[in-house]
Structure formats: C-alpha cells, structure tokens
Amino acid sequence: MPTLFELQPVRKVVVVGGGTAGWIVAGVLASRFPQRGAGGIAVTLIESRGQPPIGVGEGTWPTIRSTLKQIGVTETDFLRECDASFKQGSQFVKWMDGSDADAYYHPFTLPVGYEERNLAPYWLEDPRNQSFAAGMCFQAELCSKGVAPKQITTPEFTGLANYAYHLDAGKFGPFLQKHCVEKLGVNHVYDEIVRVQSDDSGDISHLVTKSGDQLAADLFIDCSGFSSLLIGKHFGVPFLSKKEALFIDTAWAVQIPYRSDDAPIASSTISTAQSSGWVWDIGLTTRRGVGYVFSSGYISDDDALEELKRYLAMRGDQSRDLSFRKIGINSGYRREFWTRNCVAVGLSAGFLEPLEASAIVMIELSAKSIADLLPSCRGGMRQAARIFNDTFRYRWERIIDFLKLHYALSRRTDSRFWIDNRRVESIPESLREGLEFWRFHSPYHEDLAHREEVFSAASYQYVLYGMGFRTETAPWLLNDRDRNLAREKMNETANHAKSLSAALPGNRDLLARIRKYGLQKI
C-alpha cells in the first residue's frame, strides 16, 4: 500500500545554478511540461550573481540543434546573439607521429553506406590513397575547404551536411536565460543558498537563501558547477577521479582576435598535439578561442604557456597583450548522479578533458533523461534514480574509453607524456578489449552495448583508421556484392564532395549574411 509520501506528486523543480547546464535543464523541462493554469511543472532556477563560465565549453554536437529547436529558440537569433559558427567535426593534427603530414578528420556525417553495411573493410582493402574520412565521407572535403554546411535558404536547424556549433560560452547562458524566463515561464531567482534542509526521509525539503527565503521542491537539480552544493557537499556523494587514464589536469585558455574582418572561420575544431597535451582552436564569428590542455606531471605551467605562445606565433598571432587564464581539470565523475530527490548535471556530475567536446552533450542527455524518467509521484523516484545512474555511469565510462583511444593509438615518442599514455595499465580494460577485437573486425553497431551510444561505431572508425590502425579482415568474410557497393558509394562520395564544396558558401560568408538578413524562408 503506497504511503502518503510516495503518493506526493512531483510538480515543483528547483535548478541550482545557471550557466549552460542550468538553463538547458530548465529549458528542456519547461518546454516539455509547460504550465497551463494550475497544470504542468513549475521550474525555478536559483543562481548567485557574477559567476563567470569556465570557458572551455565552446564546442557542441549536432544534438544541440534538436535541443534548441525543442525549447523554441530560432537558429538565427542563436547564431547572432551567441557569436556562434558552424562546426562540422574535429581535425586532429600531429596526434599520430607529429610529422607535418599528420592530420585527419572526425566529421559529424556518418561514413557512406554506414546504415546499410559495414563498408570499412572494403576501404581497408582499397583505400585509393585517401584517408578514411576523405574516402568514406564527403564532409571531410567541406571541412578542409572551410565551407558552411547549408545555404541561407536551408530551413533552420537543418543542413546539407550534419553540423553543430561553436559558441561563446559567456553569451550562451544569458541567451538561454532570457528565452527561458520570457517564453517558457521559468522563475528566475538571484540569491545565495546558505542552508540545504532535509526532511525525515532524507530527501531535500527546501533551500534557505541569504535573503531568508525558502525554496521548496519535489526535485532538485544540482547545476552548481565544481562547487557541487547538493550532490557533493550536502549528500557527500564521492567523486571518482579518472586521472590514471586521462592525464590532462590543467589548461591555459585565451581569446584571440581575428587579424582581419574577413579572416576565414574554420568549419571544425582544430586539435593540435603538443609535447604534453594538445591545443584546441575554435573559430567564432568575432574571435577564436584557443587553449592548451596539458598534464602538470610532464610540463610546468610556465613551459606550457610558452608552448602555447609558440603555437600562436606559428600562426601569426600576437600574444604580447593577451590575457591567459589558467584552469584546473580533474577528470572524473560522481559515484552517483541521482541521489534521493537530487540529480547532478554538468560540472557537479563530472568533467572530462575537453577533447571531442562531450561536456554540453552530456548536459543535453541528462536533461532529456530527467524529462523522460520524471515520475508522477515521489514513490517512483528511487527507480528513476537507479535507471539514470546505470545509464550515465555507462556513458561516462564510454567517453573515457573514446578519449583515451586518441592517446593509446599515438605513435609519438618525443616525450614521456605520449609514451606513458600507451602504457597498458593506463588504458581501461574495456578499451583494451575493444582494440584487441578491432584488430580482426571493423567496428560496427553490434560491438557496442546500447542503442544510443554517446560515441557510435562510426566515431571509432574515424579515429581508428584516421590514426593508422589496421584491421586484418579475412578475405572469406568479404564478398563482391558489398565490394561493388563500397566502390559505388566511394565514387558517389567523391562526386558529392566536389559538387557541394563548390556550391556551398564559406563559413564566414554565410554567417555574415545570417547576421544581416537572417535565415531566409522560401
């Protein structure tokens, strides 16, 4: 027989903390469960004033388009107000051996024929002197030419190639805040939390603020960042460090002005390996965001800063008057993310180094999962927590595997950082098992356990074969039907890449026209 407590409806949600995490969660919940009179879910977000963004979350995944569309913003407004640009994937430079020819793409569009057949073995059989991405995906050519993924007449949030965005993290939060408050009815409170009060069951009953107000709710979402006010400080859920696999623990970040108003804007995140880590280079409409993430166990802060300045100098960037900001990174995640009536999202749940830009997509996935699992009454909270925790524990571990893959495949021998990253004991067992399997089998759908993986088998194909990994496929596992299909698809890819790269505008050109005219409806 359910108790009165278990029958208590879940109607009020309080989000603690703003920024990208808080406002995405608030927006997703408020748009999914809009208030209609006394109905719907009441969403309140509380944050203190003057909390600056971390500044390393400027890369997104294509999922962000459906998230923005769901909460009701227009793509034109988003591109204009967040200085956003189009991102079609990532380019990895000098990760294999450090030579001048060492570069490959991980594009967002799937390899050709991926949904029909696993054609990777046929590329391995006859690569045509092309990289895997260039031979199996037209988007590699679009990235290399710096063109946009759409025309100005292409409908909002759709493209001729799959795409995400680079965005100004300092402007994205306020943009979402304005929309969520004015259009979705989110109650926004500026205040500081001085006490977290639990009831007899152990659940959080209310928050006491500095101004003396009490914020009661049925569900509390901790988006308080590294301070982790609820899940960490109140509930004491331990943080599980993963530094034994991911060595990066520090970043130098800087904002670089363009040398001219018509300087090209890259269509991909550029990740360039250094002696003890790598440099990210992200092009927005008004500036570039650049940073060096490194391991302090292999290089000093001062030497890392000098290495970053050398990177900038090689590209003609003046570093003399720039302001460099140091950021600490502790890769890992909470042992639990949903405890009683509290869910951690964003930095309070965990953080991994920014390689492959997984931070914002994990916020999106968390917000969607909370909305999907939200029980009607408090009695369903424990089961929702179990499902959420199992799902996200798996997701965090698979992201760690995928990030470590980039290091484990490197053949660089110029520093201990790269050599030690290949030590067997630093590679998670699940990744070691995958690498052993992929020596004899090209990654495909059935290799991964979940239908909705954070990184699909296609992503593994791009990185494995982009970094020169070899899969020894037995001839008797190949057939002429699929061999002919692969040839046909690769020919189509080459022709499609040529025609699209000639027809599409440059990234900067399209963004400038959108800022002036907006995306056009036809």
Side-chain angles (χ1 to χ4, degrees), residues 77-326:
D77 287 345
F78 163 72
L79 289 168
R80 285 172 171 169
E81 296 189 34
C82 298
D83 292 342
S85 62
F86 298 113
K87 172 185 175 180
Q88 299 186 61
S90 297
Q91 183 185 32
F92 295 93
V93 180
K94 297 183 182 297
W95 281 76
M96 285 183 285
D97 56 23
S99 66
D100 290 339
D102 176 1
Y104 72 94
Y105 283 102
H106 174 192
F108 285 143
T109 298
L110 295 172
V112 65
Y114 179 79
E115 299 291 1
E116 304 170 50
R117 299 279 194 280
N118 186 1
L119 299 182
Y122 300 94
W123 173 85
L124 287 164
E125 183 183 52
D126 180 19
R128 303 183 180 185
N129 293 318
Q130 289 181 301
S131 68
F132 180 79
M136 301 296 286
C137 181
F138 67 87
Q139 196 165 35
E141 179 76 2
L142 305 189
C143 290
S144 67
K145 293 289 180 63
V147 298
K150 63 193 296 176
Q151 302 276 10
I152 198 167
T153 53
T154 308
E156 291 210 337
F157 299 117
T158 61
L160 303 178
N162 198 13
Y163 68 94
Y165 311 100
H166 292 135
L167 53 85
D168 187 322
K171 295 182 177 181
F172 188 44
F175 170 75
L176 293 173
Q177 171 194 318
K178 185 174 186 291
H179 178 80
C180 289
V181 172
E182 295 181 359
K183 304 295 186 181
L184 299 178
V186 174
N187 179 35
H188 185 205
V189 176
Y190 276 122
D191 210 336
E192 291 184 30
I193 297 168
V194 295
R195 190 169 76 251
V196 180
Q197 189 68 45
S198 290
D199 58 27
D200 293 340
S201 73
D203 283 7
I204 298 174
S205 60
H206 62 272
L207 309 174
V208 180
T209 70
K210 189 175 182 178
S211 62
D213 291 334
Q214 295 186 4
L215 292 178
D218 306 299
L219 180 68
F220 294 84
I221 302 178
D222 188 350
C223 298
S224 61
F226 288 134
S227 62
S228 192
L229 290 175
L230 306 184
I231 203 79
K233 291 182 179 176
H234 180 71
F235 282 113
V237 176
F239 180 86
L240 306 179
S241 174
K242 296 297 175 178
K243 63 182 180 182
E244 72 279 1
L246 300 177
F247 300 170
I248 298 297
D249 61 8
T250 315
W252 282 110
V254 64
Q255 296 180 358
I256 307 291
Y258 286 109
R259 292 192 293 277
S260 64
D261 291 340
D262 60 353
I265 299 175
S267 294
S268 59
T269 299
I270 303 170
S271 303
T272 305
Q274 305 295 317
S275 71
S276 304
W278 56 276
V279 168
W280 80 77
D281 200 328
I282 286 176
L284 305 181
T285 54
T286 56
R287 63 166 173 84
R288 284 161 44 222
V290 181
Y292 182 14
V293 288
F294 59 94
S295 172
S296 62
Y298 295 86
I299 190 172
S300 69
D301 291 351
D302 289 343
D303 287 344
L305 182 56
E306 288 305 310
E307 199 165 346
L308 174 57
K309 289 179 178 179
R310 285 197 297 273
Y311 169 90
L312 296 174
M314 289 178 62
R315 283 148 186 79
D317 298 312
Q318 298 293 328
S319 59
R320 184 175 56 252
D321 299 322
L322 297 177
S323 176
F324 295 86
R325 186 162 60 100
K326 192 172 76 169

